[in-house]
């Protein structure tokens, strides 16, 4: 474990389902991130939270809804997803959200399959 | 559209040799550059960062940056089978991070 824990590790959901991904960091970091990693595509930054405030939304469709109740927890709520949303969703954290590339600690990811 | 380009590989290198991984980027204003290693089925791990032109060494790893040519590379000396992984180049500009697709490296025993 890296200090960033993601659950579940694997998720299969139908297009009409609602599910949530959970991320928890035990590193005392102030910034948390959601990334999407699809096959044969670059890693894509989705959302950035710094001190619980969302500071970045990279044109992510509204069927993905993030929530950050405190600096240690981050959720990604999913509803009415499409098959092309199937990917590995990675959570990450860093000490300082101003330098987003220093997201040096990633969780193990949730492998999401939309059927 | 700001881009980061990497050869997807696989790059096959004999054990003990030097592995050379290359990355080019489109935004001339980029200031920070990073290399991540990702083992199959695992999450990315930051292994090197570089901010100024020239070389930066850390153990068997050397990052090289040439801002004029918009080029950043990672050299791995004395390659080991445990270095077999996908290496992701990432560039931070305007407080946004852009990743390349990664290069798969295979060290041949």
């Amino acid at each position: 474990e890296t200090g960033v824990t993601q659950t579940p590790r694997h998720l299969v959901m139908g297009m009409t389902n609602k599910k949530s991904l959970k991320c928890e960091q035990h590193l005392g970091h102030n910034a948390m991130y959601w990334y999407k990693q699809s096959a044969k595509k670059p890693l894509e930054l989705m959302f950035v939270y710094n001190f619980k405030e969302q500071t970045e939304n990279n044109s992510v469709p509204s069927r993905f809804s993030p929530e950050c109740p405190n600096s240690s927890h981050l959720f990604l709520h999913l509803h009415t997803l499409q098959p092309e949303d199937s990917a590995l969703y990675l959570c990450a954290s860093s000490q300082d959200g101003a330098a987003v590339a220093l997201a040096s600690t990633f969780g193990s990811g949730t492998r999401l399959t939309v059927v | 559209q700001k881009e980061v380009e990497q050869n997807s590989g696989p790059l096959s290198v004999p054990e003990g040799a030097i592995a050379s991984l290359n990355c080019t980027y489109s935004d001339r204003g980029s200031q920070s550059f990073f290399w991540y290693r990702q083992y199959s089925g695992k999450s990315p791990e930051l292994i090197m960062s570089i901010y100024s032109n020239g070389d930066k060494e850390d153990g068997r790893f050397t990052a090289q940056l040439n801002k004029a040519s918009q080029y950043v590379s990672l050299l791995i000396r004395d390659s080991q089978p445990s270095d077999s992984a996908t290496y992701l180049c990432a560039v931070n500009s305007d407080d946004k991070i852009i990743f390349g697709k990664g290069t798969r490296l295979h060290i041949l025993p």
Side-chain angles (χ1 to χ4, degrees), chain A residues 35 37 42-43 56 58 90 98 100-104 106-107, chain B residues 34 36 38 43-44 46 51 88 92 95-97 99-101:
Chain A
Y35 287 88
Q37 189 171 37
L43 199 62
E56 189 157 337
N58 276 341
L90 290 161
V100 64
L102 293 179
S104 58
F106 280 82
Chain B
F34 307 87
Y36 288 81
Q38 186 173 22
S43 55
L46 181 70
Y51 306 97
L88 306 175
N92 185 8
D95 286 334
K96 293 190 183 294
I97 182 169
F99 280 84
K101 293 182 183 181

Side-chain angles (χ1 to χ4, degrees), chain B residues 34-49:
Chain B
F34 307 87
W35 283 100
Y36 288 81
R37 178 178 60 201
Q38 186 173 22
Y39 292 113
S40 180
K42 302 292 185 182
S43 55
E45 173 192 10
L46 181 70
I47 55 172
M48 287 288 284
S49 58

